[in-house]
Amino acid sequence: MDLSEDVSNDNVNVAEEEERIGAWIELMSSDLQMKVVEVEKSISNPQSCNVGDALFIEFEARQAKDRDQEDGPVFQVVKEWLVVIGDKDVTPALEMGLRFMREGETSLVYSDAKYAYGPLGRKQGTYDLPPDSNICYRVKINKLVSDGKLYSSPLFQMEIAKSKKVIGNDIYKFEWSDGFGKGKALQLYSKAADAMTNVLAESNDEDVQKEASAILVDCLNNAAAVYLKAKEYGKAKDAATKVLLHDPDNMKALLRAARAAIYDHAGTFEESDAAIFAAEEVDPEDSDLRKLKVELERKKREYKKKSKEMFSKMSSAMKPEAVADQSSKEGSSVNKSDVQNKDESIAPGESHGSENKPEESFTDEELLAKPTPWWKIYAPHLIQMVLPFVGYYFFMLMKKDHHDRLKMEAGDATLETEL
């Protein structure tokens, strides 16, 4: 009886699967459609996909003007990714198609550009997917893992984290598009790192701890690389520092911390020197380290040059006053020499009459150029500063005198009472 029921159920499942083959289903009107093209009959009672399920998938992606075009240029081929439904590991088009598939099925998922790569496109291999391209996936679910003991085991969580790292690397390399892929890559690295942090906290197995720590370090290191590429140097230093907390001698993290310190406008040369020194302690012959040292020296020279130019501009800004001051001194010395020459031309015995004394005459420009005495500049400010203290001093004197009078009057009253 039980055997006949199993056989009948299998027949029903096969019939259902056969009915699913070949019919296009609109998921988001005509902009997003899918159809099952093949079913793996060896899988009995295939499971439908739900949010949170982990799927082992393979797929091929083509550019397609419409859903019937099957010869469009291929721009991506993936042999195996482990994706989690709801984690946004893949494009919206592919994830939506997977949600309507079953284990063992192969489907075509046709998508408008807005559910795929939009205006960004994708650059990979010999063919670059142009912006705003419609695409078609041929995707197969090889295995489905629902929430359970296998799913929650440390080993399987590490598999999920490693796959997220691989997908993040793919986005970093081929979907950057002036930084628009940054958020997607960072999200994947962050989720993988968080999962490995939980594994390290819950598992006592040495092998598990070692592998989880390695995955965590890789994801944090990759996040630092993303921030460096996005020129967010402060965040790159933070990510590299997190790596060094787990692995103090990690050369990639040391180099990325040093690079971030060199290019960070809020950083200092002392910070850059410290990062370079730490990297030299690990591997002084590293070629990337040598390049960073050269770059740091170049930055220091640029800083000195800019500082010199800045002080030069400040000096030139003060130059008119200095020139005017110098010209007044030169004018004074010339007048003195004239006086001396005229004195020498006077015959012995002649007196210096008032008509013989040279008179100094200045133009308006020379008068304006003459430096103002320092006391004329600062006297008003000094008076403003001193006046409050003087007023307060006299106020305290008056107050003291008033109190003395009150005491004297109180004393006289007491004396009269006693008398």
Side-chain angles (χ1 to χ4, degrees), residues 254-365:
L254 289 168
L255 292 175
R256 285 167 184 169
R259 185 179 299 277
I262 290 173
Y263 288 100
D264 186 11
H265 294 297
T268 62
F269 287 129
E270 289 79 6
E271 183 182 22
S272 302
D273 288 330
I276 292 289
F277 178 78
E280 284 181 324
E281 291 289 303
V282 178
D283 186 1
E285 302 300 324
D286 185 89
S287 58
D288 291 331
L289 176 60
R290 291 180 178 179
K291 293 177 183 178
L292 283 179
K293 291 174 69 175
V294 172
E295 181 65 14
L296 178 58
E297 291 303 317
R298 185 184 68 82
K299 286 281 186 180
K300 288 181 177 180
R301 289 195 300 270
E302 285 183 357
Y303 177 78
K304 289 181 180 179
K305 183 179 178 181
K306 289 180 179 179
S307 298
K308 186 176 180 180
E309 291 176 353
M310 181 183 67
F311 286 118
S312 176
K313 289 180 180 179
M314 291 175 62
S315 300
S316 63
M318 299 173 63
K319 193 173 181 180
E321 181 179 352
V323 171
D325 187 26
Q326 183 66 25
S327 64
S328 65
K329 290 181 180 179
E330 290 176 356
S332 176
S333 62
V334 170
N335 291 331
K336 287 179 181 178
S337 63
D338 291 342
V339 174
Q340 184 178 359
N341 292 335
K342 288 187 177 182
D343 287 346
E344 291 175 354
S345 65
I346 297 175
E350 293 182 2
S351 63
H352 293 277
S354 60
E355 66 277 9
N356 294 328
K357 293 181 181 179
E359 295 181 359
E360 292 184 353
S361 61
F362 298 96
T363 63
D364 292 340
E365 290 78 7

Side-chain angles (χ1 to χ4, degrees), residues 98 217 313 316 368 398:
L98 291 171
V217 165
K313 289 180 180 179
S316 63
L368 290 172
M398 294 172 64

